[in-house]
Amino acid sequence: LLLLLIPLMFTCQTSLAQQPAAQGDKVSLVHGAHRTGRRTDAAMARWRAYGLGQFIHWGLYSIPGGEWDGKTYNGAAEWIRSWDGITKSAYDSLIYHFNPVKFDATAWAAAAQQMGAKYVTITTKHHDGFCLWPSKYTSYTVASSPYKKDLIKPLVDAYNKAGIDVILYFSIMDWSNPDWRYDIKTKDDSIAFERFKKFTRNQLLELLERYPTTKGLWFDGTWDNAWVKQAAFADELETEMRKMRPGLIIGSRFRADENGKRHFDTNGQLMGDYEQGWERKIPNTITEVHGNDWDCVMTVPENQWGYNAAWKGHIKTTDELLEMLAKCVSLDGNFVLNFGPKGDGSIRKEELSLAREIGDWMAVNQEAIYGCEYAGLEPQNWGYFTKKTGTDKIYMLVFNVPVSGALRVKLPVQTSISKAYRLGQPAQTFVPEEIQASESFIHLKTTSEKHPFVIVLETAKKTENPKVKYEKAK
Ligand SMILES: C[C@@H]1O/C(=N\OC(=O)Nc2ccccc2)[C@@H](O)[C@H](O)[C@@H]1O
């Protein structure tokens, strides 16, 4: 019987590692999470309030756009160098053709501002190792390309000028660096990887020095064994970077604990300031979020981050993307939509029109997104609730109008709706029909809405019926 149980034990252990460990069975860790619960400082509160962000994947891979020698690469376009349909030297020679003459940081920032993005995460270096800034530590940078000039500084300046914060994406995995390893098997591997660790630290401190207004680092390419084995180094480096930039925001994808656990340490505690596991997926319930901050990074096609000429498969519509945004904010997360500019520095028309349509919706409804959080109400089929942080103001983001036109709302006991109106059209008010204690219907005037809309509920605690005080008989 014991032999039968052994595989179960391991299976059970693996699944538990992804969840916060049950109380009591905590192990002592040196390089696990250094904080439980959310950060409470102003820099993190600012990040938490963003709601909507823009991701930009841009680099040498943007030139081929998922195609090479007339063949189509079926993987993600930014991974084309890993394809056996392309020789590595041919890919690496793309550096001599990188000349984004149509790059216009101000125009990119204006499009992001109109969309309503409050932050942008930009690839400074993806897995191929090509640096969009003139790094001192490698020649595989924009400085060696026909374009020559730093691309990150104009982007940081233009986005900041547009009131948009900047977070720098950095891939630890670097295919261009001969010292990088998938794993460390030999003494030579170990010697090489020590050089690679020094190179990585140098580049990260260089980025923090060159771009002092940036708010965080979005790490990627950290899943391979060689890096997973660097718990102490990565932990110390994270501490050093945080000292260099107080308030710096680093997610859960940067480092592993000394047992190789990533995102959540051996005790199930989140490492880093927010969870970075929600890539192209969104939690369905608040329990999946474990009380952490998190972001969902999302592609418009199924799984294409860098520019992909084919633009094939399911391309998400504006309303689909707005619903993802609403769902993320309703569950205490940020939604970060990816754009893949072309190798010439232009942004494809499909992405620009999505940005504009999202922006048109945000212009009317941004109050239900920015500075909002999980409302703590029972989810309803018609859409999502958000709540303005620090207030009792509830927003109903309606995506699925029921044929009855009746939107059910269950409020906490002793809470009543003092006002209900259409966001952007305060004259369009609703008189809730209370069907039982703390449960009401908001009856729509029409069920023919064709796009998502928001209803504002101003709520108040029901005052206790004041005990009637009887005057003593005179
Ligand atoms: C944002 C994306 O991030 C990546 N990879 O992400 C992950 O590995 N995601 C992941 C893996 C396991 C669990 C959860 C997320 C990259 O390879 C890809 O090119 C893109 O830059």
Side-chain angles (χ1 to χ4, degrees):
L1 179 62
L2 181 64
L3 285 176
L4 284 174
L5 284 175
I6 287 173
L8 257 185
M9 280 154 49
F10 285 106
T11 316
C12 174
Q13 184 58 33
T14 310
S15 63
L16 273 181
Q18 258 54 50
Q19 305 299 327
Q23 293 308 317
D25 56 359
K26 294 221 181 302
V27 299
S28 71
L29 290 172
V30 176
H31 302 301
H34 297 311
R35 190 199 69 254
T36 55
R38 292 175 169 186
R39 270 177 50 174
T40 55
D41 59 294
M44 198 68 206
R46 181 184 174 96
W47 183 94
R48 191 173 292 133
Y50 286 149
L52 175 60
Q54 178 189 42
F55 213 147
I56 293 179
H57 276 74
W58 194 38
L60 297 184
Y61 45 78
S62 311
I63 298 172
E67 295 170 353
W68 195 267
D69 271 349
K71 295 191 300 293
T72 300
Y73 170 52
N74 290 323
E78 71 283 357
W79 274 75
I80 194 169
R81 187 180 187 278
S82 70
W83 182 30
D84 55 16
I86 184 173
T87 58
K88 308 305 172 211
S89 55
Y91 179 90
D92 295 344
S93 301
L94 285 169
I95 190 168
Y96 304 116
H97 303 277
F98 187 70
N99 189 16
V101 293
K102 293 185 180 175
F103 171 60
D104 178 344
T106 305
W108 286 20
Q113 185 185 41
Q114 189 279 334
M115 179 172 87
K118 286 295 182 190
Y119 68 127
V120 63
T121 301
I122 168 76
T123 48
T124 59
K125 178 179 88 168
H126 203 260
H127 308 331
D128 62 358
F130 175 70
C131 303
L132 273 64
W133 84 99
S135 174
K136 290 189 300 222
Y137 302 100
T138 171
S139 59
Y140 197 49
T141 82
V142 66
S144 306
S145 76
Y147 192 77
K148 297 198 185 314
K149 295 169 289 185
D150 181 2
L151 290 162
I152 300 299
K153 174 130 179 54
L155 274 169
V156 171
D157 291 349
Y159 274 81
N160 285 174
K161 194 171 174 196
I164 303 173
D165 287 345
V166 178
I167 286 183
L168 301 177
Y169 168 109
F170 183 90
S171 175
I172 297 289
M173 175 164 74
D174 181 333
W175 298 326
S176 77
N177 189 309
D179 290 332
W180 180 77
R181 294 289 184 281
Y182 279 105
D183 201 352
I184 298 169
K185 301 263 193 219
T186 65
K187 182 76 181 144
D188 283 354
D189 286 342
S190 179
I191 292 165
F193 207 71
E194 285 308 306
R195 287 195 297 266
F196 182 74
K197 287 155 62 178
K198 284 187 177 61
F199 160 77
T200 298
R201 175 177 173 273
N202 285 336
Q203 284 205 314
L204 286 168
L205 301 188
E206 180 181 46
L207 284 170
L208 292 177
E209 276 153 23
R210 288 181 65 94
Y211 312 109
T213 65
T214 52
K215 303 293 183 184
L217 291 164
W218 205 93
F219 286 99
D220 198 9
T222 55
W223 49 81
D224 293 301
N225 287 344
W227 181 258
V228 168
K229 289 172 179 172
Q230 309 304 325
F233 172 78
D235 193 10
E236 284 147 29
L237 178 54
E238 180 174 317
T239 300
E240 181 180 18
M241 292 190 289
R242 290 181 186 281
K243 276 207 183 78
M244 226 177 124
R245 179 77 58 75
L248 187 67
I249 294 172
I250 296 174
S252 64
R253 211 180 270 196
F254 177 50
R255 62 187 179 89
D257 75 6
E258 53 261 52
N259 301 318
K261 293 286 176 235
R262 299 179 61 230
H263 295 282
F264 293 90
D265 70 17
T266 308
N267 294 321
Q269 294 299 327
L270 183 73
M271 290 186 281
D273 304 319
Y274 65 98
E275 192 192 345
Q276 276 182 280
W278 300 101
E279 183 203 301
R280 293 180 294 118
K281 56 182 191 279
I282 299 172
N284 285 307
T285 62
I286 196 65
T287 47
E288 296 169 62
V289 166
H290 306 302
N292 298 313
D293 286 306
W294 57 278
D295 70 358
C296 161
V297 290
M298 186 57 72
T299 51
V300 177
E302 207 38 51
N303 182 17
Q304 294 293 336
W305 299 90
Y307 173 70
N308 181 274
W311 200 244
K312 60 185 184 296
H314 178 66
I315 305 295
K316 298 171 189 78
T317 64
T318 302
D319 285 342
E320 275 180 274
L321 294 169
L322 287 172
E323 180 158 6
M324 291 179 177
L325 166 62
K327 186 172 184 184
C328 286
V329 175
S330 78
L331 293 171
D332 276 343
N334 287 335
F335 182 66
V336 186
L337 182 60
N338 183 71
F339 288 66
K342 297 182 185 177
D344 65 5
S346 63
I347 297 179
R348 69 189 315 153
K349 62 182 182 342
E350 298 91 344
E351 289 178 349
L352 289 173
S353 61
L354 281 173
R356 172 153 298 287
E357 289 167 6
I358 290 169
D360 290 346
W361 187 86
M362 285 293 283
V364 174
N365 299 290
Q366 59 188 252
E367 184 186 319
I369 298 292
Y370 299 147
C372 287
E373 62 183 39
Y374 171 62
L377 303 179
E378 181 182 296
Q380 301 292 340
N381 290 334
W382 46 257
Y384 308 91
F385 287 110
T386 64
K387 182 168 84 77
K388 186 66 73 182
T389 298
T391 76
D392 289 327
K393 205 164 190 183
I394 301 284
Y395 300 93
M396 299 168 65
L397 291 85
V398 184
F399 285 83
N400 313 300
V401 174
V403 289
S404 65
L407 307 183
R408 187 185 299 274
V409 178
K410 281 186 170 178
L411 291 172
V413 291
Q414 297 308 320
T415 304
S416 64
I417 300 171
S418 51
K419 253 175 97 180
Y421 58 90
R422 173 81 175 252
L423 185 53
Q425 302 168 34
Q428 192 185 121
T429 58
F430 302 87
V431 179
E433 177 202 358
E434 189 156 14
I435 41 183
Q436 57 181 316
S438 299
E439 184 167 349
S440 302
F441 273 137
I442 298 285
H443 291 289
L444 296 177
K445 295 170 172 58
T446 164
T447 58
S448 57
E449 296 278 352
K450 283 289 164 277
H451 289 290
F453 59 93
V454 177
I455 292 171
V456 185
L457 302 181
E458 294 192 1
T459 66
K461 296 276 178 288
K462 284 178 186 158
T463 47
E464 292 297 312
N465 298 335
K467 301 235 175 331
V468 178
K469 297 210 173 4
Y470 292 96
E471 288 295 319
K472 274 199 180 52
K474 291 213 180 351

